Amino acid sequence: MKVYTKTGDKGTTALFGGTRVPKHHIRIESYGTIDELNSHIGLIRDQDIDQLYKNTLMHIQDRLFTVGAILATDPEKATLKNGKDRLNIPKISNEDIERLEKEMDNMEDSLPPMTHFVLPGGHQTVSFCHIARTVCRRAERLASHLNDLEPFQPETLMYINRLSDYLFVLARKLSHDLQAEEIKWIPNKES
């Protein structure tokens, strides 16, 4: 099978189920941003970090492929004629969301409490986490818009929301592990 099909040469692409839509469609923007996020997470996973984080990030990448598949499915074609789901894969579950929460709780146990916003940066690996976090927030905004137009599985949107929190906590934990300076944002006071 060739990578290029030439079917998108006129600015359209096919959703899962065959429906063709413009490449700028909110559904394409949504799952395209999830794909971008997945690439950024791969970059974090490639860093010299604890294997536990790498394993968690690999699991997240797997779940993001599922999120992308959910977002790429035409809701009108999500169910086959025999009544089965077109997507024959495990959907995003409450357990997936709880796993992120548990990972955050474990990391936060060793971190000082947050008293201020922190400036992104301090170490290249930490910066990669912050970039992934902001891409995740963009993905969430797009998916939320899509959900308003064509609702999809609620756990999917919840997972994206929780993932941005996870990436923030991971950035803080990696700052701690790498002994990078975490710079607090303290706004100047007006005179």
Side-chain angles (χ1 to χ4, degrees), residues 40 43-45 47-49 53 111 118-134 166-183:
H40 283 290
L43 184 60
I44 299 167
R45 191 172 50 82
Q47 302 304 300
D48 186 18
I49 59 176
Y53 306 142
L111 294 174
V118 294
L119 298 180
H123 188 282
Q124 182 172 314
T125 303
V126 174
S127 294
F128 290 152
C129 286
H130 282 293
I131 291 167
R133 173 186 58 80
T134 59
Y166 168 83
L167 291 166
F168 177 76
V169 176
L170 180 61
R172 290 199 69 223
K173 181 67 168 98
L174 289 173
S175 287
H176 180 266
D177 293 354
L178 297 165
Q179 299 177 346
E181 182 180 8
E182 193 173 70
I183 300 172

Side-chain angles (χ1 to χ4, degrees), residues 28-44 60 64 67 71 120 126-144 157 159-165 167-168:
I28 308 306
E29 287 286 342
S30 295
Y31 75 74
T33 306
I34 291 295
D35 185 35
E36 180 184 350
L37 171 61
N38 207 334
S39 297
H40 283 290
I41 289 175
L43 184 60
I44 299 167
I60 289 167
L64 286 177
V67 169
L71 297 177
V126 174
S127 294
F128 290 152
C129 286
H130 282 293
I131 291 167
R133 173 186 58 80
T134 59
V135 172
C136 189
R137 285 289 187 209
R138 177 164 34 95
E140 181 183 16
R141 290 189 301 271
L142 290 164
S144 175
L157 197 54
Y159 186 80
I160 300 168
N161 177 266
R162 209 67 84 252
L163 179 55
S164 62
D165 295 334
L167 291 166
F168 177 76

Side-chain angles (χ1 to χ4, degrees), residues 78-167:
T79 306
L80 300 171
K81 290 179 183 177
N82 63 9
K84 293 186 179 183
D85 285 345
R86 180 172 295 281
L87 282 179
N88 189 21
I89 58 174
K91 306 299 184 292
I92 299 299
S93 67
N94 284 321
E95 289 77 23
D96 293 321
I97 296 163
E98 290 165 5
R99 180 174 179 169
L100 290 176
E101 291 170 348
K102 181 179 177 190
E103 293 294 332
M104 283 186 279
D105 292 343
N106 290 340
M107 288 188 288
E108 285 186 322
D109 284 346
S110 64
L111 294 174
M114 270 195 60
T115 57
H116 295 82
F117 288 109
V118 294
L119 298 180
H123 188 282
Q124 182 172 314
T125 303
V126 174
S127 294
F128 290 152
C129 286
H130 282 293
I131 291 167
R133 173 186 58 80
T134 59
V135 172
C136 189
R137 285 289 187 209
R138 177 164 34 95
E140 181 183 16
R141 290 189 301 271
L142 290 164
S144 175
H145 182 196
L146 175 62
N147 190 58
D148 283 350
L149 301 171
E150 298 176 338
F152 51 84
Q153 182 205 24
E155 290 83 2
T156 301
L157 197 54
M158 292 167 60
Y159 186 80
I160 300 168
N161 177 266
R162 209 67 84 252
L163 179 55
S164 62
D165 295 334
Y166 168 83
L167 291 166

